């Protein structure tokens, strides 16, 4: 009789049994998801707090007359600018390892930098671009190209026209002249201490910002303005 009663209930209201099973499954899934979120949020918070304890490197000023571009720490554009006569010289920087992959870094920090130098003149439609490797005691040019001023100055921007010959294929005398050209404009190893310290701080800020942004997303909170 008891079995018949259950069958009868199922025949008259089958959705009740199905709904009950779904509710239990959904509840269990939600509970597991909540637990996973909590673990991840706790880990993100711990790593954020650890990154916040970083001791910044000694403050280093860029060689005169270079000036730090306002807001450079928060963006991906030029870091330093200066005037050389009527020319504007701008310089962007990133880790060499981020460009070529791999790379060796010892415990003292970033020892291989990649710099993008742009020389612009008033009245000229194109700018002269240098991609260089910068080290504590040397600077080497990887390429020299002409690009329209309106084109992106980003590292990975693809020029819209002929990019020039492979730098190593150029006559040695011309290569030496190009090195003298940018050295005359202050682009040499004297920039390394400032750019190394600047990148160290920027990388740490980006890491903290990433931990905070991911945590905000997972917790479902609205991100704070400027975070």
């Amino acid at each position: 009789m008891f079995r018949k009663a259950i069958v009868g209930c199922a025949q008259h209201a089958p959705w009740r049994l199905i709904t009950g099973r779904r509710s239990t499954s959904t509840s269990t899934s939600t509970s597991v998801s909540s637990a996973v979120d909590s673990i991840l949020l706790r880990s993100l918070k711990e790593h954020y707090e650890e990154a916040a304890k970083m001791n910044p490197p000694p403050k280093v000023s860029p060689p005169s007359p270079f000036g730090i571009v306002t807001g450079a720490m928060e963006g991906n554009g030029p870091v330093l600018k200066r005037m050389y006569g009527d020319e504007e010289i701008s310089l962007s920087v990133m880790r060499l390892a981020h460009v070529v992959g791999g790379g060796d870094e010892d415990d003292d920090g970033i020892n291989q930098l990649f710099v993008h130098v742009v020389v612009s003149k008033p009245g000229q439609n194109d700018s002269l671009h240098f991609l260089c490797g910068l080290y504590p005691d040397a600077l080497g040019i990887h390429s020299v190209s002409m690009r329209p001023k309106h084109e992106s100055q980003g590292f990975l921007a693809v020029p819209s026209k002929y990019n020039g010959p492979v730098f190593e294929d150029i006559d040695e005398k011309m290569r030496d002249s190009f090195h003298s050209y940018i050295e005359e404009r202050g682009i040499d190893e004297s920039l390394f201490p400032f750019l190394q310290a600047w990148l160290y701080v920027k990388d740490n800020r980006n890491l903290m910002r990433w931990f905070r942004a991911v945590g905000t997303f997972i917790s479902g909170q609205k991100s704070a303005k400027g975070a």
Side-chain angles (χ1 to χ4, degrees), residues 78-80 90-94 114-118 128-132 145 147 152-157 187:
V79 175
L80 298 175
S90 63
L91 185 148
S92 305
V93 63
M94 68 187 302
F114 195 67
V115 295
H116 181 187
V117 181
V118 181
L128 188 58
H129 292 240
F130 294 85
L131 298 181
C132 311
S145 62
R147 304 185 192 179
S152 169
Q153 296 185 5
F155 282 98
L156 303 180
I187 310 299

Side-chain angles (χ1 to χ4, degrees), residues 70-190:
T70 302
M73 187 66 72
E74 310 304 324
N76 295 314
V79 175
L80 298 175
K81 282 190 177 182
R82 65 160 293 184
M83 296 302 297
Y84 181 83
D86 64 346
E87 299 175 355
E88 181 184 78
I89 316 294
S90 63
L91 185 148
S92 305
V93 63
M94 68 187 302
R95 296 190 190 201
L96 184 61
H98 290 175
V99 180
V100 300
D104 296 324
E105 296 177 16
D106 60 22
D107 293 336
D108 294 330
I110 307 166
N111 287 314
Q112 301 180 45
L113 307 181
F114 195 67
V115 295
H116 181 187
V117 181
V118 181
V119 182
S120 300
K121 292 185 177 184
Q124 296 280 356
N125 294 326
D126 292 344
S127 297
L128 188 58
H129 292 240
F130 294 85
L131 298 181
C132 311
L134 179 61
Y135 308 88
D137 57 355
L139 178 140
I141 299 175
H142 290 298
S143 71
V144 180
S145 62
M146 295 293 297
R147 304 185 192 179
K149 283 184 178 179
H150 66 269
E151 283 192 356
S152 169
Q153 296 185 5
F155 282 98
L156 303 180
V158 178
S160 61
K161 59 183 182 180
Y162 176 61
N163 199 31
V166 176
F167 190 73
E168 289 303 316
D169 292 343
I170 298 176
D171 175 78
E172 183 178 359
K173 184 177 180 180
M174 184 178 291
R175 295 201 306 267
D176 291 342
S177 296
F178 273 124
H179 276 96
S180 297
Y181 179 88
I182 60 173
E183 287 172 2
E184 179 66 22
R185 286 155 178 76
I187 310 299
D188 56 29
E189 60 271 18
S190 66

Side-chain angles (χ1 to χ4, degrees), residues 5-107:
I6 294 179
V7 172
C9 289
Q11 290 175 339
H12 290 288
W15 63 87
R16 294 182 181 177
L17 297 178
I18 295 173
T19 302
R21 287 198 299 272
R22 285 183 177 175
S23 177
T24 301
S25 176
T26 301
S27 177
T28 301
S29 177
T30 301
S31 178
V32 172
S33 178
S34 179
V36 171
D37 288 358
S38 296
I39 293 172
L40 180 53
L41 285 170
R42 184 163 57 250
S43 179
L44 287 166
K45 181 180 179 181
E46 291 173 354
H47 282 79
Y48 176 89
E49 292 175 346
E50 187 66 27
K53 296 177 183 177
M54 180 206 79
N55 293 320
K59 187 174 182 179
V60 181
S61 298
S64 178
F66 281 98
I68 303 173
V69 177
T70 302
M73 187 66 72
E74 310 304 324
N76 295 314
V79 175
L80 298 175
K81 282 190 177 182
R82 65 160 293 184
M83 296 302 297
Y84 181 83
D86 64 346
E87 299 175 355
E88 181 184 78
I89 316 294
S90 63
L91 185 148
S92 305
V93 63
M94 68 187 302
R95 296 190 190 201
L96 184 61
H98 290 175
V99 180
V100 300
D104 296 324
E105 296 177 16
D106 60 22
D107 293 336

